[in-house]
Amino acid sequence: MSELTIEELNRANRETFVDLLSGVYETSPWVAERTAAERPFSSLDDVHGAMRDAVEEASRAKQLELLRAHPDLGERTEMTEASQAEQASAGLDQLSPDQYDAFQRLNDTYRERFGFPFIMAVKDESPDAIQDAMETRVDHSESTEFRTALDEVHTIARFRLEALLGS
């Protein structure tokens, strides 16, 4: 796939713009929809900033919906191509049975405690580092973890934009 340029993104009609950016924030095209009117953009940073602002200005319910759109880490279920690639880059598609069980237990505990899945920008991380983060973050307060999860979502979006537009 050839990289998309900022100029092409700026020239795209609204429907195409939303289609091109609909996967940047996991199955949440509303972020791209709210960003379309902010064009023209001069850089990847501008696009990311506008999308980040759309999320930050959304209601807490809409933000929670965005967090809940993310798959559990290490899960062997259907997920977006972007999530599959990100998890594979961290080796989460090759967990040992013991690691898989630990991830499932931590995912369940985390989701029960916070009401959304554990979210971490896992690109190029190791399963051990991810598991350590899960074990640490499950003890955070709800407000701290909600903020941390949103920040991780923004980092994931940045990686996806870099893949789409080039860094």
Side-chain angles (χ1 to χ4, degrees):
M1 180 174 109
S2 62
E3 289 179 354
L4 180 69
T5 67
I6 295 292
E7 292 77 23
E8 290 168 332
L9 191 61
N10 285 333
R11 284 194 309 266
N13 66 39
R14 181 178 176 80
E15 182 180 334
T16 300
F17 176 91
V18 170
D19 186 53
L20 290 167
L21 297 184
S22 65
V24 172
Y25 281 84
E26 191 82 11
T27 65
S28 300
W30 63 267
V31 180
E33 289 167 359
R34 293 182 183 187
T35 305
E38 302 298 316
R39 292 180 286 172
F41 300 110
S42 61
S43 67
L44 186 149
D45 287 339
D46 286 350
V47 177
H48 183 248
M51 294 185 88
R52 181 184 181 99
D53 289 349
V55 171
E56 292 299 323
E57 292 166 4
S59 69
R60 183 173 174 89
K62 200 73 172 166
Q63 292 171 342
L64 182 58
E65 178 184 301
L66 171 62
L67 296 180
R68 288 178 175 161
H70 283 261
D72 285 337
L73 293 180
E75 185 64 37
R76 295 178 181 151
T77 60
E78 188 176 323
M79 60 184 81
T80 65
E81 285 183 34
S83 286
Q84 286 176 341
E86 291 155 3
Q87 290 200 30
S89 80
L92 296 181
D93 60 339
Q94 298 179 22
L95 295 174
S96 72
D98 288 343
Q99 287 174 311
Y100 181 78
D101 289 345
F103 269 72
Q104 295 316 299
R105 185 183 74 258
L106 287 163
N107 279 326
D108 290 347
T109 300
Y110 185 96
R111 188 181 288 276
E112 184 177 306
R113 177 166 163 85
F114 298 112
F116 53 88
F118 176 82
I119 300 170
M120 180 177 171
V122 298
K123 182 180 175 188
D124 301 326
E125 294 286 351
S126 72
D128 289 339
I130 297 163
Q131 185 174 339
D132 289 346
M134 292 174 88
E135 289 170 351
T136 298
R137 287 175 47 192
V138 76
D139 291 328
H140 285 174
S141 69
E142 192 280 334
S143 61
T144 296
E145 199 50 32
F146 193 89
R147 179 73 260 157
T148 300
L150 279 177
D151 289 343
E152 291 292 321
V153 166
H154 293 312
T155 300
I156 293 165
R158 174 67 187 212
F159 290 149
R160 291 177 180 182
L161 279 171
E162 287 173 357
L164 184 66
L165 298 170
S167 52

